[in-house]
PDB file of all heavy atoms in Angstrom:
ATOM      1  N   LEU A  13      -4.810  13.563  -0.454  1.00  0.00           N
ATOM      2  CA  LEU A  13      -3.710  12.850  -1.106  1.00  0.00           C
ATOM      3  C   LEU A  13      -2.943  13.888  -1.949  1.00  0.00           C
ATOM      4  O   LEU A  13      -3.414  14.347  -2.950  1.00  0.00           O
ATOM      5  CB  LEU A  13      -4.206  11.768  -1.988  1.00  0.00           C
ATOM      6  CG  LEU A  13      -4.622  10.449  -1.275  1.00  0.00           C
ATOM      7  CD1 LEU A  13      -5.537   9.633  -2.233  1.00  0.00           C
ATOM      8  CD2 LEU A  13      -3.442   9.657  -0.877  1.00  0.00           C
ATOM      9  N   PHE A  39     -10.563  -2.013   7.463  1.00  0.00           N
ATOM     10  CA  PHE A  39     -10.693  -0.911   6.504  1.00  0.00           C
ATOM     11  C   PHE A  39     -10.515  -1.459   5.074  1.00  0.00           C
ATOM     12  O   PHE A  39      -9.907  -2.520   4.846  1.00  0.00           O
ATOM     13  CB  PHE A  39      -9.697   0.176   6.811  1.00  0.00           C
ATOM     14  CG  PHE A  39      -8.279  -0.177   6.493  1.00  0.00           C
ATOM     15  CD1 PHE A  39      -7.729   0.113   5.184  1.00  0.00           C
ATOM     16  CD2 PHE A  39      -7.452  -0.798   7.378  1.00  0.00           C
ATOM     17  CE1 PHE A  39      -6.431  -0.223   4.868  1.00  0.00           C
ATOM     18  CE2 PHE A  39      -6.183  -1.080   7.064  1.00  0.00           C
ATOM     19  CZ  PHE A  39      -5.648  -0.850   5.843  1.00  0.00           C
ATOM     20  N   LYS A  40     -11.031  -0.635   4.126  1.00  0.00           N
ATOM     21  CA  LYS A  40     -10.863  -0.953   2.737  1.00  0.00           C
ATOM     22  C   LYS A  40     -10.774   0.385   1.911  1.00  0.00           C
ATOM     23  O   LYS A  40     -11.497   1.317   2.242  1.00  0.00           O
ATOM     24  CB  LYS A  40     -12.060  -1.761   2.170  1.00  0.00           C
ATOM     25  CG  LYS A  40     -11.858  -2.168   0.706  1.00  0.00           C
ATOM     26  CD  LYS A  40     -13.000  -3.075   0.258  1.00  0.00           C
ATOM     27  CE  LYS A  40     -12.797  -3.597  -1.128  1.00  0.00           C
ATOM     28  NZ  LYS A  40     -13.893  -4.535  -1.606  1.00  0.00           N
ATOM     29  N   VAL A  41      -9.830   0.417   0.972  1.00  0.00           N
ATOM     30  CA  VAL A  41      -9.591   1.637   0.202  1.00  0.00           C
ATOM     31  C   VAL A  41     -10.103   1.420  -1.246  1.00  0.00           C
ATOM     32  O   VAL A  41      -9.662   0.432  -1.876  1.00  0.00           O
ATOM     33  CB  VAL A  41      -8.123   2.013   0.245  1.00  0.00           C
ATOM     34  CG1 VAL A  41      -7.917   3.308  -0.509  1.00  0.00           C
ATOM     35  CG2 VAL A  41      -7.615   2.128   1.632  1.00  0.00           C
ATOM     36  N   LYS A  42     -10.959   2.337  -1.705  1.00  0.00           N
ATOM     37  CA  LYS A  42     -11.434   2.275  -3.092  1.00  0.00           C
ATOM     38  C   LYS A  42     -11.084   3.560  -3.813  1.00  0.00           C
ATOM     39  O   LYS A  42     -10.892   4.570  -3.170  1.00  0.00           O
ATOM     40  CB  LYS A  42     -12.955   2.086  -3.115  1.00  0.00           C
ATOM     41  CG  LYS A  42     -13.461   0.755  -2.509  1.00  0.00           C
ATOM     42  CD  LYS A  42     -14.934   0.667  -2.631  1.00  0.00           C
ATOM     43  CE  LYS A  42     -15.469  -0.654  -2.080  1.00  0.00           C
ATOM     44  NZ  LYS A  42     -16.951  -0.736  -2.193  1.00  0.00           N
ATOM     45  N   THR A  43     -11.025   3.550  -5.121  1.00  0.00           N
ATOM     46  CA  THR A  43     -10.755   4.744  -5.900  1.00  0.00           C
ATOM     47  C   THR A  43     -11.643   4.783  -7.176  1.00  0.00           C
ATOM     48  O   THR A  43     -12.163   3.709  -7.626  1.00  0.00           O
ATOM     49  CB  THR A  43      -9.281   4.757  -6.355  1.00  0.00           C
ATOM     50  OG1 THR A  43      -9.078   5.933  -7.175  1.00  0.00           O
ATOM     51  CG2 THR A  43      -8.901   3.488  -7.169  1.00  0.00           C
ATOM     52  N   SER A  46      -9.265   3.026 -10.795  1.00  0.00           N
ATOM     53  CA  SER A  46      -8.459   1.838 -10.356  1.00  0.00           C
ATOM     54  C   SER A  46      -7.308   1.583 -11.309  1.00  0.00           C
ATOM     55  O   SER A  46      -6.315   1.003 -10.938  1.00  0.00           O
ATOM     56  CB  SER A  46      -9.349   0.630 -10.208  1.00  0.00           C
ATOM     57  OG  SER A  46     -10.012   0.325 -11.444  1.00  0.00           O
ATOM     58  N   TYR A  49      -4.251   4.099 -10.398  1.00  0.00           N
ATOM     59  CA  TYR A  49      -3.590   4.093  -9.089  1.00  0.00           C
ATOM     60  C   TYR A  49      -3.453   2.667  -8.589  1.00  0.00           C
ATOM     61  O   TYR A  49      -4.187   1.764  -8.933  1.00  0.00           O
ATOM     62  CB  TYR A  49      -4.410   4.858  -8.045  1.00  0.00           C
ATOM     63  CG  TYR A  49      -4.624   6.312  -8.428  1.00  0.00           C
ATOM     64  CD1 TYR A  49      -5.759   6.721  -9.125  1.00  0.00           C
ATOM     65  CD2 TYR A  49      -3.672   7.277  -8.080  1.00  0.00           C
ATOM     66  CE1 TYR A  49      -5.918   8.098  -9.406  1.00  0.00           C
ATOM     67  CE2 TYR A  49      -3.826   8.594  -8.385  1.00  0.00           C
ATOM     68  CZ  TYR A  49      -4.988   8.983  -9.055  1.00  0.00           C
ATOM     69  OH  TYR A  49      -5.173  10.325  -9.350  1.00  0.00           O
ATOM     70  N   CYS A  50      -2.413   2.462  -7.797  1.00  0.00           N
ATOM     71  CA  CYS A  50      -2.125   1.232  -7.142  1.00  0.00           C
ATOM     72  C   CYS A  50      -2.056   1.453  -5.618  1.00  0.00           C
ATOM     73  O   CYS A  50      -1.289   2.361  -5.185  1.00  0.00           O
ATOM     74  CB  CYS A  50      -0.838   0.655  -7.633  1.00  0.00           C
ATOM     75  SG  CYS A  50      -0.386  -0.917  -6.793  1.00  0.00           S
ATOM     76  N   VAL A  51      -2.911   0.724  -4.839  1.00  0.00           N
ATOM     77  CA  VAL A  51      -2.985   0.963  -3.375  1.00  0.00           C
ATOM     78  C   VAL A  51      -2.478  -0.317  -2.733  1.00  0.00           C
ATOM     79  O   VAL A  51      -2.973  -1.425  -2.942  1.00  0.00           O
ATOM     80  CB  VAL A  51      -4.409   1.227  -2.939  1.00  0.00           C
ATOM     81  CG1 VAL A  51      -4.465   1.473  -1.499  1.00  0.00           C
ATOM     82  CG2 VAL A  51      -4.945   2.484  -3.692  1.00  0.00           C
ATOM     83  N   ARG A  52      -1.481  -0.151  -1.821  1.00  0.00           N
ATOM     84  CA  ARG A  52      -0.904  -1.269  -1.092  1.00  0.00           C
ATOM     85  C   ARG A  52      -0.693  -0.869   0.391  1.00  0.00           C
ATOM     86  O   ARG A  52       0.008   0.060   0.641  1.00  0.00           O
ATOM     87  CB  ARG A  52       0.411  -1.698  -1.676  1.00  0.00           C
ATOM     88  CG  ARG A  52       0.285  -2.307  -3.007  1.00  0.00           C
ATOM     89  CD  ARG A  52      -0.442  -3.691  -2.899  1.00  0.00           C
ATOM     90  NE  ARG A  52      -0.497  -4.398  -4.186  1.00  0.00           N
ATOM     91  CZ  ARG A  52      -1.477  -4.226  -5.105  1.00  0.00           C
ATOM     92  NH1 ARG A  52      -2.477  -3.413  -4.738  1.00  0.00           N
ATOM     93  NH2 ARG A  52      -1.509  -4.898  -6.202  1.00  0.00           N
ATOM     94  N   PRO A  53      -1.314  -1.560   1.331  1.00  0.00           N
ATOM     95  CA  PRO A  53      -2.407  -2.543   1.142  1.00  0.00           C
ATOM     96  C   PRO A  53      -3.730  -1.798   0.986  1.00  0.00           C
ATOM     97  O   PRO A  53      -3.863  -0.721   1.557  1.00  0.00           O
ATOM     98  CB  PRO A  53      -2.360  -3.392   2.416  1.00  0.00           C
ATOM     99  CG  PRO A  53      -1.888  -2.403   3.432  1.00  0.00           C
ATOM    100  CD  PRO A  53      -0.942  -1.514   2.756  1.00  0.00           C
ATOM    101  N   ASN A  54      -4.675  -2.436   0.277  1.00  0.00           N
ATOM    102  CA  ASN A  54      -5.995  -1.742   0.108  1.00  0.00           C
ATOM    103  C   ASN A  54      -7.003  -2.230   1.143  1.00  0.00           C
ATOM    104  O   ASN A  54      -8.109  -1.724   1.219  1.00  0.00           O
ATOM    105  CB  ASN A  54      -6.477  -1.986  -1.275  1.00  0.00           C
ATOM    106  CG  ASN A  54      -6.720  -3.460  -1.635  1.00  0.00           C
ATOM    107  OD1 ASN A  54      -6.165  -4.328  -0.934  1.00  0.00           O
ATOM    108  ND2 ASN A  54      -7.484  -3.754  -2.633  1.00  0.00           N
ATOM    109  N   THR A  55      -6.675  -3.307   1.874  1.00  0.00           N
ATOM    110  CA  THR A  55      -7.538  -3.778   2.994  1.00  0.00           C
ATOM    111  C   THR A  55      -6.604  -4.156   4.179  1.00  0.00           C
ATOM    112  O   THR A  55      -5.453  -4.348   4.083  1.00  0.00           O
ATOM    113  CB  THR A  55      -8.377  -4.985   2.619  1.00  0.00           C
ATOM    114  OG1 THR A  55      -7.432  -6.011   2.247  1.00  0.00           O
ATOM    115  CG2 THR A  55      -9.233  -4.642   1.497  1.00  0.00           C
ATOM    116  N   PHE A  66      -0.941   2.983   4.427  1.00  0.00           N
ATOM    117  CA  PHE A  66      -1.085   2.418   3.100  1.00  0.00           C
ATOM    118  C   PHE A  66      -0.508   3.441   2.097  1.00  0.00           C
ATOM    119  O   PHE A  66      -0.509   4.659   2.344  1.00  0.00           O
ATOM    120  CB  PHE A  66      -2.477   2.056   2.679  1.00  0.00           C
ATOM    121  CG  PHE A  66      -3.458   3.176   2.618  1.00  0.00           C
ATOM    122  CD1 PHE A  66      -3.625   3.853   1.422  1.00  0.00           C
ATOM    123  CD2 PHE A  66      -4.207   3.543   3.715  1.00  0.00           C
ATOM    124  CE1 PHE A  66      -4.552   4.898   1.287  1.00  0.00           C
ATOM    125  CE2 PHE A  66      -5.161   4.591   3.616  1.00  0.00           C
ATOM    126  CZ  PHE A  66      -5.303   5.257   2.403  1.00  0.00           C
ATOM    127  N   THR A  67       0.016   2.903   1.001  1.00  0.00           N
ATOM    128  CA  THR A  67       0.682   3.778  -0.044  1.00  0.00           C
ATOM    129  C   THR A  67      -0.127   3.786  -1.308  1.00  0.00           C
ATOM    130  O   THR A  67      -0.561   2.696  -1.793  1.00  0.00           O
ATOM    131  CB  THR A  67       2.089   3.237  -0.345  1.00  0.00           C
ATOM    132  OG1 THR A  67       2.904   3.177   0.890  1.00  0.00           O
ATOM    133  CG2 THR A  67       2.807   4.052  -1.349  1.00  0.00           C
ATOM    134  N   VAL A  68      -0.289   4.996  -1.860  1.00  0.00           N
ATOM    135  CA  VAL A  68      -1.013   5.191  -3.075  1.00  0.00           C
ATOM    136  C   VAL A  68       0.039   5.596  -4.165  1.00  0.00           C
ATOM    137  O   VAL A  68       0.794   6.513  -3.994  1.00  0.00           O
ATOM    138  CB  VAL A  68      -2.074   6.282  -3.021  1.00  0.00           C
ATOM    139  CG1 VAL A  68      -2.740   6.510  -4.380  1.00  0.00           C
ATOM    140  CG2 VAL A  68      -3.115   5.883  -1.959  1.00  0.00           C
ATOM    141  N   THR A  69       0.146   4.781  -5.229  1.00  0.00           N
ATOM    142  CA  THR A  69       1.070   5.074  -6.302  1.00  0.00           C
ATOM    143  C   THR A  69       0.326   5.378  -7.576  1.00  0.00           C
ATOM    144  O   THR A  69      -0.472   4.571  -8.037  1.00  0.00           O
ATOM    145  CB  THR A  69       2.004   3.802  -6.557  1.00  0.00           C
ATOM    146  OG1 THR A  69       2.690   3.514  -5.313  1.00  0.00           O
ATOM    147  CG2 THR A  69       2.985   4.065  -7.661  1.00  0.00           C
ATOM    148  N   MET A  70       0.606   6.556  -8.147  1.00  0.00           N
ATOM    149  CA  MET A  70       0.013   6.869  -9.416  1.00  0.00           C
ATOM    150  C   MET A  70       0.914   6.427 -10.547  1.00  0.00           C
ATOM    151  O   MET A  70       2.131   6.736 -10.545  1.00  0.00           O
ATOM    152  CB  MET A  70      -0.159   8.435  -9.457  1.00  0.00           C
ATOM    153  CG  MET A  70      -0.859   8.872 -10.778  1.00  0.00           C
ATOM    154  SD  MET A  70      -1.198  10.674 -10.760  1.00  0.00           S
ATOM    155  CE  MET A  70       0.515  11.288 -10.898  1.00  0.00           C
ATOM    156  N   GLN A  71       0.378   5.722 -11.522  1.00  0.00           N
ATOM    157  CA  GLN A  71       1.121   5.252 -12.613  1.00  0.00           C
ATOM    158  C   GLN A  71       1.702   6.456 -13.428  1.00  0.00           C
ATOM    159  O   GLN A  71       1.163   7.530 -13.455  1.00  0.00           O
ATOM    160  CB  GLN A  71       0.330   4.268 -13.502  1.00  0.00           C
ATOM    161  CG  GLN A  71      -0.260   3.140 -12.743  1.00  0.00           C
ATOM    162  CD  GLN A  71       0.775   2.258 -12.089  1.00  0.00           C
ATOM    163  OE1 GLN A  71       1.862   1.994 -12.691  1.00  0.00           O
ATOM    164  NE2 GLN A  71       0.528   1.770 -10.896  1.00  0.00           N
ATOM    165  N   PHE A  86     -10.773   9.103  -3.552  1.00  0.00           N
ATOM    166  CA  PHE A  86     -10.581   7.834  -2.901  1.00  0.00           C
ATOM    167  C   PHE A  86     -11.662   7.768  -1.767  1.00  0.00           C
ATOM    168  O   PHE A  86     -12.017   8.752  -1.186  1.00  0.00           O
ATOM    169  CB  PHE A  86      -9.174   7.724  -2.251  1.00  0.00           C
ATOM    170  CG  PHE A  86      -8.108   7.383  -3.269  1.00  0.00           C
ATOM    171  CD1 PHE A  86      -7.663   8.330  -4.133  1.00  0.00           C
ATOM    172  CD2 PHE A  86      -7.635   6.059  -3.375  1.00  0.00           C
ATOM    173  CE1 PHE A  86      -6.654   7.999  -5.063  1.00  0.00           C
ATOM    174  CE2 PHE A  86      -6.696   5.742  -4.305  1.00  0.00           C
ATOM    175  CZ  PHE A  86      -6.163   6.697  -5.160  1.00  0.00           C
TER     176      PHE A  86
END
Side-chain angles (χ1 to χ4, degrees):
L13 283 164
F39 73 90
K40 184 174 184 179
V41 183
K42 297 180 179 181
T43 178
S46 57
Y49 300 93
C50 177
V51 181
R52 291 292 182 272
N54 62 340
T55 59
F66 66 88
T67 302
V68 177
T69 301
M70 183 177 68
Q71 305 300 321
F86 282 78

